[in-house]
Structure formats: structure tokens, C-alpha cells
Amino acid sequence: MPRSSDSSDSSTFSQASSSSSKQESSDDMRKVQRREKNRIAAQKSRQRQTQKADTLHLESEDLERQNAALRREIKQLREELTHFSTVLNLHETRCSILHTQPPAPSEVLYTPLSFPQTHISSPCFQP
């Protein structure tokens, strides 16, 4: 009879061994799937990081071009300012109007209604 108990023990052991190997196989499959999923996620993350770096690089180049254009414009405007300041200084030294006294208010002869208004010669505007 001990033999029969041995055979039942061995069948239980083989069933346990079989179920544990299935569990190990299942665990291995989950590990492999998890690693694959993680590998794909890491790859996507690296792609996003590379794309972001490329975008920042392009934006940086664009800003550098804008900066250079603005610096050229500032230089041109400063040159214009220098030119117009020189022209104004030359004008001020020669301008007779700036060196004479302005007329007194009583000497001003202009009044708003002193001009005749018969400049309209169209027949439809004739009285």
C-alpha cells in the first residue's frame, strides 16, 4: 500500500510541478510583455524629446535671425538720427525765421471770414 501513496504523491507533485511551471511561464510572459511595453514607451519618450529639441533649435535660429534684423534696423535708424540731427543743426544756424522775433498778436491780420467764398462756379451752386 505504501506504493499507492507514493504514486499519488508523485502525481500530486507532477501536478504541482506542472502548475508551478505554468505559473512561471505566465510570469515570464508578463515580464517579457512589460519589458516590451517599457521599451516602446522609452522609445516614444526619446522621440518626443528629440522632436522637442529640434523644435527649440529651429525656434532659436528664427529668433537669432529676427535679432540680427532688428540690430540692423537699429543701426540704420541711428544713422538716420545722426543725419537728421546734422541737417537740423545746419538749418537752425541758417534759418532766418528762428532768429527773428515773432509778430505781436495785434499785428496778425488774418481773420477766419476774411476770404471770399465765391470759388464755386458750378451752375447748380449759383444763387
Side-chain angles (χ1 to χ4, degrees), residues 5 7-8 12 20 26 44 47-48 53 62 64 67 78 93 96 104 113 115 122:
S5 71
S7 68
S8 69
T12 306
S20 75
S26 177
K44 285 182 181 179
Q47 285 175 342
R48 282 192 304 268
D62 186 44
E64 285 178 8
N67 194 8
R78 284 187 175 150
T93 58
S96 61
L113 301 175
F115 297 106
S122 174

Side-chain angles (χ1 to χ4, degrees), residues 35-49:
R35 284 181 182 165
E36 180 66 15
K37 190 175 177 182
N38 188 41
R39 184 186 67 79
I40 292 170
Q43 187 178 18
K44 285 182 181 179
S45 176
R46 286 189 293 271
Q47 285 175 342
R48 282 192 304 268
Q49 189 176 11

Side-chain angles (χ1 to χ4, degrees), residues 27-89:
D27 288 347
D28 288 345
M29 287 297 292
R30 276 190 245 140
K31 264 187 186 176
V32 169
Q33 287 174 344
R34 190 175 67 233
R35 284 181 182 165
E36 180 66 15
K37 190 175 177 182
N38 188 41
R39 184 186 67 79
I40 292 170
Q43 187 178 18
K44 285 182 181 179
S45 176
R46 286 189 293 271
Q47 285 175 342
R48 282 192 304 268
Q49 189 176 11
T50 301
Q51 188 173 6
K52 186 176 180 180
D54 290 345
T55 302
L56 286 174
H57 181 70
L58 292 174
E59 186 178 341
S60 171
E61 287 178 343
D62 186 44
L63 289 172
E64 285 178 8
R65 280 191 294 274
Q66 289 178 15
N67 194 8
L70 290 171
R71 288 182 188 277
R72 285 190 300 271
E73 185 178 359
I74 288 170
K75 182 180 177 187
Q76 177 192 359
L77 290 171
R78 284 187 175 150
E79 289 171 358
E80 284 184 31
L81 177 64
T82 302
H83 169 74
F84 288 127
S85 294
T86 303
V87 169
L88 180 62
N89 285 336

Side-chain angles (χ1 to χ4, degrees), residues 101-118:
Q101 293 293 327
S106 61
E107 296 176 12
V108 177
L109 301 176
Y110 168 76
T111 60
L113 301 175
S114 65
F115 297 106
Q117 297 186 5
T118 58

